[in-house]
Structure formats: structure tokens, C-alpha cells
Amino acid sequence: GLGDVYKRQVITCALVALPELFSAIINGFTSLLSGDNDASTSGRLRQIEIVLSTLENESIKALIFGVNEPKAIIENAFFSYFYKYGLIGLLSLIFFYIYTLVLSYKYVKLSMKSNYNAFNQGLVIGFNAMTLSLIFFSLGSSPVDANKSSYFFFLAWALIMYIIKENKRNLSFN
């Protein structure tokens, strides 16, 4: 039927687009493994070295709570939180990611049981995919506190909460 046609079109588009989408990542890993770093990888590795050397030269307080006045911008969220907020910040970020992953998985399970309409189901699954991508996105930026990406993330989370609330209200009226 028509659904099969759409599936074939999506798969065809993905096959055509995916090599182009992942070529930079593949080239970066190839360069890293061969010892020839590209500019982006070299920059991030320098940033990680800055974090580690700064925290090595600071007190135990800086290791636990972070440096008082960060002098560098770190693009990797994990090292950025470690640098700015110490082990407490890094562990908080990891806890937040685990929390959103568990919560988004529960949202997907709830949406499957509750027979959401296709649009709402798509939003829930999209939010789940977004939370899964946080870990990878964090290697090159800070998605939960960067301007545009954090707005989009928390807006999507709010929409999911609204969908769940409305679905519970509709079930209670039936």
C-alpha cells in the first residue's frame, strides 16, 4: 500500500543521505586513529588537555567543585562541566542524562499502551531519540545549556508532558 511506498522512499533517502551525513565523523575517527588530527579534533583534544592540566594544578576543592574563574571555553559538555563545576557538576550532568533517558523510555512505553495518535506518538519517539543523542551531541558541545539546542530540548520535553497530561485527562473522561 501507500505505507510501503513511503517506507521505501524514506529508506532510499536515508541510504543516499547517510554517507554524506557521517562522512565528517568517519574522517575524524580515521584521522584520529592514524595520528593525523583534523582541526576540529585537535582543538577539542587541546581543550581536554587544558581541563586536565588546570585541574591537576588546582586544589582538591577545584577538583570537587570546579575552578572559580574558568579561562577557557570547552566544547565537550562532559569536560566543560568537569572544568567549571568539578566532579559534582560532571556527576550531576551524567545523572541528568540518565534520568532523561529513563524518563523518555517510560514515555515511549506509556504512549504504546495508551494508543496515542500518530502525531503525539511521533513526538514521544522523537523526544526519546533526542535524549539518546544527548550523549553523543555532548562530545562536541553542551546541548542542555547551549542557547538554541536547550530551548528546543526543553520545549520538546514540555510538549511531551502536555501530551501525557491531556491523554490522562481524556482517559478519565471516558
Side-chain angles (χ1 to χ4, degrees), residues 37-50 73 75:
N37 295 332
D38 61 353
S40 178
T41 305
S42 295
R44 285 185 175 80
L45 290 174
R46 272 193 310 277
Q47 292 169 1
I48 291 169
E49 287 174 14
I50 289 169
I73 296 172
E75 295 174 356

Side-chain angles (χ1 to χ4, degrees), residues 18-158:
L18 286 179
E20 186 63 33
L21 291 174
F22 291 106
S23 65
I25 295 171
I26 292 168
N27 290 341
F29 277 118
T30 304
S31 296
L32 184 63
L33 294 174
S34 69
D36 299 330
N37 295 332
D38 61 353
S40 178
T41 305
S42 295
R44 285 185 175 80
L45 290 174
R46 272 193 310 277
Q47 292 169 1
I48 291 169
E49 287 174 14
I50 289 169
V51 170
L52 296 177
S53 67
T54 301
L55 291 173
E56 184 178 308
N57 296 326
E58 291 280 335
S59 66
I60 190 75
K61 181 182 172 192
L63 185 65
I64 296 170
F65 299 108
V67 295
N68 284 336
E69 296 179 29
K71 294 175 177 57
I73 296 172
I74 310 300
E75 295 174 356
N76 179 307
F78 300 108
F79 281 96
S80 177
Y81 272 70
F82 185 47
Y83 181 58
K84 293 178 186 173
Y85 313 112
L87 284 173
I88 290 176
L90 176 62
L91 293 174
S92 297
L93 180 69
I94 291 169
F95 174 77
F96 177 75
Y97 285 175
I98 291 169
Y99 174 75
T100 57
L101 283 169
V102 169
L103 207 57
S104 70
Y105 176 73
K106 287 181 178 181
Y107 293 160
V108 170
K109 282 179 60 175
L110 177 67
S111 71
M112 298 291 186
K113 289 180 189 174
S114 301
N115 295 323
Y116 286 12
N117 66 38
F119 179 77
N120 291 349
Q121 186 73 42
L123 283 175
V124 171
I125 291 171
F127 181 73
N128 182 260
M130 186 184 296
T131 59
L132 289 171
S133 71
L134 281 177
I135 296 164
F136 303 105
F137 189 18
S138 293
L139 296 173
S141 68
S142 191
V144 291
D145 52 24
N147 281 340
K148 296 174 187 163
S149 60
S150 63
Y151 299 151
F152 185 67
F153 176 76
F154 289 108
L155 173 67
W157 197 350

